[in-house]
C-alpha cells in the first residue's frame, strides 16, 4: 500500500475542544470508515489527558481532508446497562439495509466486550447491546447476510503478549439472526508463530469481490523484546462459504516505517480499521481496478491513510503461506 503524501491526515491538533471532557486532546486514532451519501465518514477514537476514550466523527468530501465534529458520540441507551463502561473504542462501520452499524470494543470490569450501536445520520447513535459473553475485540460485520444469517469476524482475547494487553491469535467467524446473539461458526486463521503475524485481529469489515471476501487484518510480532510491532495484512474467504480461507498474504502490506508510526503513545503501530472501496459493479462486487483507501491508527496517536487497489490486495492475499525453513 502507498502512504498518502500528506500523512498523517488527522492529529491531535485537528481535534476541537469539546469541554468539559475533551480539551487539549492527546491523540486521535483507529478510525472506522465508510462512504455514506457521498461523504467520507470516520468514527475516530480520541483520548483526553485523563486517558478517557471518546468516539468523535470526522467527515470529508474527498476522503483526504477531514473535519472533526464538535461533539462526542453519545450512545443513547448505554446508560441503561447499569454497569461501568471504562472505554468504547476501535469502531468498525458496516451499512446494512440503510442503517450504519458500529461495532466497537467496550472495556468493562475484568474484560472487553463487543458493543453494537447504529445510526442513520452520524448525529444520533442508538446503543443496541453487548454482543459477546467472553473477552473479545476486533468485531467486524459482513456487509450483507450470507446463507440467510448475519456474519461477523471476531477475535477472542485468549493470549497475552509480553508487556502488552490481553490479545488473541485466532480470528473466528460467528453467525447471528438478530445481530446481538452470536454463535461461533469456525476458526478462520491463527497467528503464525515466529513471523510477522503472531497475534492477529480483524481490521476493517470484509469487502465482497468476485474472488471472495477480501479482508485486511492486523498482525503483531511479539518476539522483539519490548517492541510489539503492529502491521497490516490481507486474507481472502470463499464467497458462498466464508468459513473457508482461500488466501493469506505472506508479507505484511503495511508496517511502521514513518516517524508518526514508529513513535507515539504506543510505538511501532499501524492499525488498519477503516476501508473505502470506491467502485462496485451493479451487483455489489468491488471492481478489481477500484481505488481503495485504508485508514489506520498510527502509534495510537494519529490517523494515516494508505491507498491501493482491489486487485493489488487480491494479489497479496494469494502470496501463500510462509514456507518452513529447510523444507
Ligand atoms: C490493541 C488495541 C488497539 C491498539 C493496539 C496497539 O490491542 O488496543 O486499540 O491500537 O493494541 O496499542
Amino acid at each position: 500500500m502507498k502512504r498518502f503524501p500528506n500523512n498523517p491526515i488527522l492529529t491531535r491538533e485537528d481535534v476541537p475542544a469539546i469541554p468539559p471532557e475533551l480539551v487539549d486532546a492527546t491523540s486521535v486514532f483507529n478510525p472506522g470508515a465508510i462512504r455514506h451519501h457521498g461523504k467520507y465518514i470516520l468514527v475516530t477514537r480520541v483520548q483526553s489527558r485523563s486517558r478517557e476514550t471518546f468516539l468523535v466523527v470526522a467527515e470529508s468530501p474527498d476522503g483526504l481532508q477531514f473535519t472533526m465534529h464538535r461533539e462526542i458520540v453519545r450512545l443513547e441507551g448505554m446508560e441503561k446497562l447499569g454497569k461501568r463502561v471504562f472505554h468504547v473504542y476501535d469502531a468498525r462501520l458496516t451499512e446494512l439495509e440503510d442503517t450504519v452499524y458500529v461495532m466497537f470494543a467496550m472495556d468493562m470490569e475484568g474484560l472487553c466486550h463487543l458493543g453494537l450501536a447504529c445510526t442513520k445520520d452520524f448525529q444520533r447513535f442508538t446503543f443496541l447491546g453487548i454482543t459477546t459473553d467472553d473477552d473479545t475485540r476486533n468485531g467486524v460485520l459482513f456487509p450483507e447476510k450470507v446463507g440467510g444469517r448475519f456474519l461477523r469476524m471476531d477475535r477472542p482475547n485468549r493470549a497475552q503478549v509480553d508487556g502488552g494487553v490481553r490479545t488473541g491469535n485466532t480470528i473466528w467467524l460467528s453467525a447471528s439472526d438478530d445481530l446481538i446473539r452470536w454463535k461461533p461458526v469456525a476458526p478462520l486463521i491463527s497467528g503464525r508463530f515466529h513471523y510477522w503475524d503472531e497475534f492477529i485481529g480483524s481490521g476493517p469489515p470484509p469487502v465482497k469481490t468476485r474472488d471472495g471476501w477480501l479482508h485486511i487484518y492486523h498482525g503483531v510480532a511479539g518476539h522483539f523484546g519490548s517492541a510489539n510491532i503492529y502491521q497490516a495484512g490481507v486474507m481472502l474467504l470463499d464467497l458462498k462459504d466464508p468459513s473457508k480461507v482461500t488466501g493469506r498474504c505472506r508479507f505484511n502490506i503495511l508496517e511502521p516505517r514513518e516517524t508518526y508510526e514508529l513513535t507515539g503513545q504506543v510505538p511501532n503501530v499501524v492499525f488498519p480499521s477503516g476501508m473505502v472501496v470506491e467502485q462496485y459493479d451493479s451487483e455489489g462486487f468491488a471492481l478489481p481496478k477500484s481505488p481503495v483507501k485504508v485508514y489506520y491508527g498510527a502509534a495510537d496517536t494519529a490517523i494515516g491513510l494508505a491507498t491501493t487497489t482491489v486487485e493489488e490486495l487480491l494479489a497479496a492475499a494469494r502470496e501463500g503461506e510462509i514456507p518452513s525453513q529447510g523444507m
Side-chain angles (χ1 to χ4, degrees), residues 67-85:
T67 307
M68 299 200 60
H69 285 190
R70 297 192 161 270
E71 57 196 31
I72 289 167
V73 168
R74 310 281 170 199
L75 298 170
E76 288 170 26
M78 193 144 138
E79 66 289 346
K80 293 193 197 119
L81 275 179
K83 286 188 188 150
R84 181 113 195 218
V85 179

Side-chain angles (χ1 to χ4, degrees), residues 45 54 87 104 116-117 227 266 309 325:
R45 168 181 182 181
F54 305 102
H87 302 289
F104 51 89
L116 186 68
V266 181
T309 62
Q325 296 285 327

Side-chain angles (χ1 to χ4, degrees), residues 240-260:
K240 291 215 172 75
D241 179 3
S243 69
K244 285 193 196 136
V245 179
T246 52
R248 180 176 185 180
C249 64
R250 174 175 183 175
F251 304 101
N252 74 47
I253 57 170
L254 191 73
E255 64 178 13
R257 289 191 182 174
E258 298 294 329
T259 309
Y260 57 88

Side-chain angles (χ1 to χ4, degrees), residues 30 45 89-90 137 165 230 266 269 271 300:
N30 297 6
R45 168 181 182 181
Y89 58 100
D90 294 2
R137 265 198 307 276
V165 291
Y230 279 72
V266 181
V269 176
F271 192 88
D300 284 10

Side-chain angles (χ1 to χ4, degrees), residues 29-62:
F29 56 111
N30 297 6
I34 201 160
R35 208 178 54 194
H36 190 250
H37 298 168
K39 282 186 198 159
Y40 295 75
I41 307 278
L42 303 180
V43 175
T44 70
R45 168 181 182 181
V46 174
Q47 280 179 328
S48 63
R49 284 177 178 243
S50 56
R51 303 255 180 261
E52 288 169 85
T53 305
F54 305 102
L55 299 177
V56 181
V57 175
E59 61 176 75
S60 162
D62 59 8

Side-chain angles (χ1 to χ4, degrees), residues 111-176:
L111 80 172
C112 176
H113 284 293
L114 288 173
L116 186 68
C118 68
T119 183
K120 283 184 185 280
D121 56 10
F122 293 95
Q123 306 289 335
R124 290 191 64 183
F125 291 77
T126 307
F127 178 68
L128 299 173
I130 292 179
T131 69
T132 45
D133 298 322
D134 302 328
D135 201 331
T136 309
R137 265 198 307 276
N138 301 307
V140 298
L141 296 174
F142 281 62
E144 59 186 64
K145 282 184 172 174
V146 182
R149 294 182 304 175
F150 295 110
L151 292 182
R152 81 170 177 204
M153 284 178 264
D154 48 49
R155 205 286 315 279
N157 298 326
R158 294 185 188 140
Q160 180 83 47
V161 197
D162 278 351
V165 291
R166 255 169 82 86
T167 178
N169 53 13
T170 303
I171 296 175
W172 281 76
L173 183 70
S174 299
S176 171

